[in-house]
C-alpha cells in the first residue's frame, strides 16, 4: 500500500437535524442509542475497514521482509488515518452531544465539555 492509498476521503461531518428539536436529542448523548456519528455510521465503518486493510498490509509487509523504512512509512499513514478518524468522531461529538448539552445547560454541559477535553487530551498523548 502506498501513502496515497492511505489518505482518507474528505471529512464531511453531518450536523444534527435542527428541525428535530430538544426532544429528539434526548437519549442521543448518553451511553446508549444513537450518537453524533450515527448518521455517518456506514461511512465510518467503511473508513475503519480501509484502516483495517492498511494494518493487514503492514502484517504482510513484515511477513515479506519489506524494507524497514517502507514499513515505517505505512505505519505513519495508518496512524494518520486513525487520527483523522478520531478527529471526525470528536467533531461529531461536539456538534451533537455537546451542542445538545449546551441547550439543556447545567451540569450536563459541564460533564460533556469535561468528557470532550479528556478525549482531546488522550488524542494529544497518542
Amino acid at each position: 500500500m502506498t501513502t496515497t492509498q492511505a489518505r482518507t476521503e474528505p471529512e464531511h461531518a453531518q450536523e444534527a437535524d435542527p428541525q428535530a428539536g430538544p426532544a429528539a436529542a434526548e437519549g442521543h448523548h448518553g451511553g446508549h442509542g444513537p450518537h453524533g456519528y450515527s448518521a455517518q455510521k456506514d461511512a465510518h465503518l467503511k473508513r475503519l475497514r480501509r484502516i483495517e486493510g492498511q494494518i493487514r498490509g503492514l502484517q504482510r509487509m513484515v511477513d515479506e521482509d519489506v524494507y524497514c523504512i517502507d514499513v515505517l512509512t505505512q505505519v505513519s499513514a495508518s496512524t494518520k488515518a486513525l487520527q483523522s478518524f478520531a478527529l471526525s468522531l470528536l467533531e461529531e461529538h461536539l456538534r451533537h452531544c455537546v451542542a445538545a448539552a449546551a441547550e439543556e445547560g447545567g451540569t450536563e454541559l459541564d460533564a460533556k465539555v469535561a468528557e470532550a477535553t479528556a478525549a482531546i487530551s488522550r488524542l494529544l498523548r497518542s
Side-chain angles (χ1 to χ4, degrees), residues 78-100:
S78 300
T79 300
K80 292 288 185 192
L82 275 172
Q83 289 172 339
S84 179
F85 175 73
L87 287 174
S88 178
L89 282 181
L90 179 61
E91 180 180 4
E92 289 170 349
H93 176 70
L94 293 172
R95 289 184 186 276
H96 182 267
C97 301
V98 176

Side-chain angles (χ1 to χ4, degrees), residues 29 49 72 77 104:
H29 47 82
R49 283 190 287 274
L72 288 170
E104 293 175 20

Side-chain angles (χ1 to χ4, degrees), residues 52-126:
E52 180 182 20
Q54 289 178 288
I55 303 305
R56 290 182 194 274
L58 278 166
Q59 292 171 334
R60 280 190 302 275
M61 291 173 82
V62 170
D63 186 50
E64 295 168 4
D65 293 319
V66 172
Y67 183 57
C68 52
I69 296 301
D70 293 337
V71 175
L72 288 170
T73 299
Q74 185 59 31
V75 167
S76 177
S78 300
T79 300
K80 292 288 185 192
L82 275 172
Q83 289 172 339
S84 179
F85 175 73
L87 287 174
S88 178
L89 282 181
L90 179 61
E91 180 180 4
E92 289 170 349
H93 176 70
L94 293 172
R95 289 184 186 276
H96 182 267
C97 301
V98 176
E103 287 180 11
E104 293 175 20
T107 59
E108 183 70 16
L109 175 58
D110 293 338
K112 292 299 177 188
V113 169
E115 209 175 51
T117 302
I120 292 166
S121 178
R122 286 190 302 274
L123 286 171
L124 289 175
R125 285 192 305 255
S126 62

